Amino acid sequence: MTSVLVAAASFAAEPVRLSEHLQQGQLVIGHAPPGSRVEFDGRKLRIGNDGTFVFGLSRDAAPREELQISDASGKARTFAFDVEQRTYPTERVNGLPQQTVTPKPEILARIEREQAAVQAARTRDDAREDFLDGFSLPVEGARISGVYGSQRIDNGVPKAPHMGLDMAVPTGTPVHAPADGVVSFAAKDLFLTGGTVLIDHGYGLDSSFLHLSRVDVKVGERIRRGQVIGLAGMTGRATGPHVHWGFNWFEVRLDPALLPKPQ
């Protein structure tokens, strides 16, 4: 990981470092002197034995953000850093089943229950540092059919932005884990996302895979990079077969296209 010196005089023994070229939607991997306390956006961050910490910059992160860092003695400082602003395209998606765009009340209640279960899986904060080895594509050579952050117009109805990377592949294409992790959620038939798998990579980071035609893993299973976790499909709200790869830092949705690659 390349890094930039954020605070050369912050702590006498060792500076605080962040990734270079920070932008909206980015996973940020930083280092602070061991024993430090680091907070971002009101959340206390997990600090590894070597001072590693992570946080995520949202789709609409401000042009300037701040970290609150305290050394082992309790001396606190604020570090401000710039965030590159991005321009997001508008994508119009037609041909979706209308009940997935404007669901009836009973369907909406089901969606809310399912989304709550997914969000519960995203509260874990394991000490594993699987994310440090970088991330591979879950399918190689696929056409990118949807990008992170784009404003979605579904069947003519403005919806929430698209918060992931879509890769167009035939139904039945094997989907591979992009990095090591532990399965934190697995379901075959969620209403909006169909076959759904979440892999936790530690420190509140998880990959999500949606619209799978087959799920091959179970909750609690230890996963290795490259392992097949299921098959691509078009289950849930989809107009064609593809792999949707999402990435989160807790509730903050990040851009998989910006993740560090394996060394």
Side-chain angles (χ1 to χ4, degrees):
M1 180 195 73
T2 57
S3 56
V4 60
L5 191 65
V6 171
S10 56
F11 302 108
E14 183 179 353
V16 175
R17 303 189 306 276
L18 296 181
S19 308
E20 289 184 334
H21 309 302
L22 303 180
Q23 58 182 298
Q24 292 171 323
Q26 184 173 343
L27 166 65
V28 183
I29 301 177
H31 289 84
S36 301
R37 176 188 174 101
V38 183
E39 293 187 13
F40 176 71
D41 198 25
R43 182 188 294 273
K44 180 182 177 182
L45 308 185
R46 176 180 289 278
I47 304 292
N49 292 333
D50 64 348
T52 297
F53 62 89
V54 304
F55 62 95
L57 295 170
S58 70
R59 174 188 185 271
D60 301 311
R64 196 157 178 82
E65 297 280 7
E66 294 181 345
L67 286 175
Q68 307 297 325
I69 303 181
S70 303
D71 64 15
S73 70
K75 182 180 179 181
R77 297 194 181 186
T78 298
F79 300 105
F81 55 92
D82 295 329
V83 178
E84 179 184 342
Q85 304 293 282
R86 299 171 61 180
T87 300
Y88 302 102
T90 297
E91 296 181 352
R92 298 182 181 276
V93 181
N94 297 311
L96 293 166
Q98 193 59 37
Q99 64 176 347
T100 67
V101 178
T102 53
K104 297 178 180 179
E106 61 271 21
I107 296 298
L108 184 60
R110 174 186 169 182
I111 292 171
E112 290 174 348
R113 290 194 301 272
E114 292 174 346
Q115 290 180 338
V118 172
Q119 287 303 109
R122 287 187 166 133
T123 60
R124 57 187 296 164
D125 184 10
D126 294 2
R128 288 176 293 103
E129 296 182 343
D130 294 327
F131 58 89
L132 286 179
D133 291 329
F135 295 83
S136 303
L137 288 173
V139 292
E140 294 288 346
R143 177 177 64 88
I144 302 302
S145 57
V147 297
Y148 170 90
S150 60
Q151 179 60 55
R152 278 287 176 89
I153 310 295
D154 293 344
N155 290 2
V157 179
K159 304 295 284 186
H162 181 249
M163 302 304 274
L165 188 68
D166 284 350
M167 293 156 279
V169 292
T171 294
T173 300
V175 180
H176 303 267
D180 291 358
V182 172
V183 178
S184 57
F185 185 90
K188 297 179 179 179
D189 62 349
L190 299 190
F191 187 80
L192 290 182
T193 58
T196 302
V197 170
L198 270 64
I199 301 176
D200 182 274
H201 304 294
Y203 283 47
L205 302 174
D206 74 74
S207 289
S208 56
F209 302 92
L210 317 181
H211 311 300
L212 301 175
S213 62
R214 194 179 81 192
V215 172
D216 291 339
V217 294
K218 61 182 183 298
V219 172
E221 184 175 348
R222 177 66 168 159
I223 301 296
R224 298 299 181 185
R225 180 202 312 280
Q227 180 177 337
V228 174
I229 61 172
L231 302 180
M234 56 178 293
T235 56
R237 185 169 67 188
T239 57
H242 68 284
V243 176
H244 173 102
W245 178 19
F247 196 86
N248 273 52
W249 173 62
F250 298 109
E251 72 280 359
V252 181
R253 297 178 184 270
L254 307 178
D255 188 351
L258 299 181
L259 293 174
K261 303 298 188 292
Q263 299 298 315

